[in-house]
Amino acid sequence: MIYSKPMRTPFVAANWKMHEPPVGAFVPESPYRSVEAIDIWVFPSFLDLHSARDHGLIVGAQCGRPDSQGAFTGDISMRMLADQRIQAVLCGHSERRLHHKEDDIMVAAQAIAALEAGLHPIVCIGETAQQRLEGKNKNIVRAQLEAIIPILTSSDLIIAYEPVWAISGGNADLPAATPSDAQEMHAYIRSLLPTERQEKIRIIYGGSAKPENALALCREPDVDGLLVGGASLDPASFGHIVEAVMDAKGIS
Ligand code: PGA
């Protein structure tokens, strides 16, 4: 799948994590259906990829292995995903970095393999609470981006800035990210992209995105959309988020 639209089309992703698809996700009027003016993609568990795809949703996997085949028990390769008409894959989600020890080298290998297989990699980057409190947030994000320098020339790449401290409701030391927190980092990330790709590569925000903050977040000029976890499990909430993103981006 080659991203050929001229501008940064607004984008909303539903990351269902280790949950069943929400009831009603596959009905004809589902809020999870992509439309021309805004890309809406869902990331179900591996077991639900086919069903979501066969109901006409645009689907991505939550992870994939870079090797094309081999003795990797429990893993699924990028090539296998592409063969099943899966369009995208999350690379380096912070929960994979934490629970599966995926480091920047592994994440880069995944993203490169995803592109080679014809998938859109959504590379997740972002600092932890500790790193932010120590003032290292920009250095961390820059290092995570430097790991994927070979693919920063691809418009098929999507970057998700997901400050780890803001995911799943934030934490006691740091309140949830504000629109200006997001804008500051998104503008910084964009400034690190090759000049000719700065207006092509989409940078979406993730971390407690919900109906209440989606409009303000997406009014920021460098926030091209949202990667939504918890609030994507409720079709009504997700529908409100999509409407807010469209409103923020002037799509009727
Ligand atoms: P959240 O998750 O919206 O529940 O914070 C976002 C994510 O982990 O991608």
Side-chain angles (χ1 to χ4, degrees):
M1 186 183 194
I2 304 297
Y3 180 64
S4 58
K5 296 181 183 170
M7 300 299 291
R8 290 152 33 202
T9 305
F11 183 99
V12 187
N15 177 11
W16 291 339
K17 307 193 181 186
M18 201 173 71
H19 296 282
E20 302 288 341
V23 174
F26 299 156
V27 299
E29 61 280 8
S30 165
Y32 303 96
R33 279 188 200 289
S34 212
V35 291
E36 176 62 22
I38 179 166
D39 288 329
I40 302 169
W41 297 0
V42 300
F43 293 78
S45 76
F46 284 128
L47 295 178
D48 294 308
L49 282 168
H50 283 163
S51 161
R53 180 202 65 192
D54 293 346
H55 282 89
L57 305 190
I58 296 189
V59 290
Q62 296 175 12
C63 62
R65 193 170 179 97
D67 317 75
S68 55
Q69 60 182 0
F72 300 107
T73 303
D75 283 340
I76 290 183
S77 75
M78 301 298 180
R79 170 58 56 200
M80 290 167 164
L81 292 170
D83 287 348
Q84 299 297 317
R85 289 180 286 122
I86 307 306
Q87 308 278 9
V89 61
L90 300 180
C91 300
H93 189 283
S94 60
E95 288 153 13
R96 300 287 309 174
R97 292 179 189 259
L98 175 67
H99 301 303
H100 297 268
K101 307 286 174 276
E102 292 181 2
D103 60 11
D104 286 346
I105 293 169
M106 178 53 149
V107 173
Q110 291 171 358
I112 291 166
L115 280 173
E116 285 172 357
L119 299 167
H120 285 276
I122 301 184
V123 177
C124 303
I125 59 177
E127 77 284 1
T128 63
Q130 178 78 18
Q131 290 162 340
R132 188 171 187 93
L133 291 169
E134 289 171 1
K136 294 180 181 159
N137 41 334
K138 287 192 173 159
N139 287 349
I140 294 295
V141 163
R142 191 177 63 234
Q144 290 172 331
L145 266 187
E146 280 171 358
I148 54 164
I149 278 179
I151 59 165
L152 290 182
T153 51
S154 171
S155 309
D156 287 343
L157 167 70
I158 294 163
I159 296 171
Y161 171 56
E162 295 212 299
V164 182
W165 47 274
I167 292 178
S168 298
N171 74 41
D173 293 331
L174 287 167
T178 63
S180 58
D181 288 333
Q183 170 58 23
E184 183 184 355
M185 191 61 93
H186 281 228
Y188 177 65
I189 292 168
R190 203 175 297 287
S191 75
L192 298 174
L193 300 178
T195 315
E196 72 284 3
R197 282 290 170 263
Q198 289 182 354
E199 287 308 314
K200 289 285 272 180
I201 292 179
R202 291 174 288 179
I203 307 173
I204 60 174
Y205 170 81
S208 299
K210 44 187 184 279
E212 295 78 13
N213 60 11
L215 180 72
L217 282 164
C218 289
R219 275 201 175 129
E220 297 293 345
D222 287 296
V223 178
D224 296 320
L226 300 170
L227 175 50
V228 188
S232 77
L233 293 170
D234 174 45
S237 292
F238 189 72
H240 289 312
I241 290 172
V242 170
E243 280 166 20
V245 176
M246 292 175 79
D247 199 3
K249 298 303 180 192
I251 301 167
S252 51

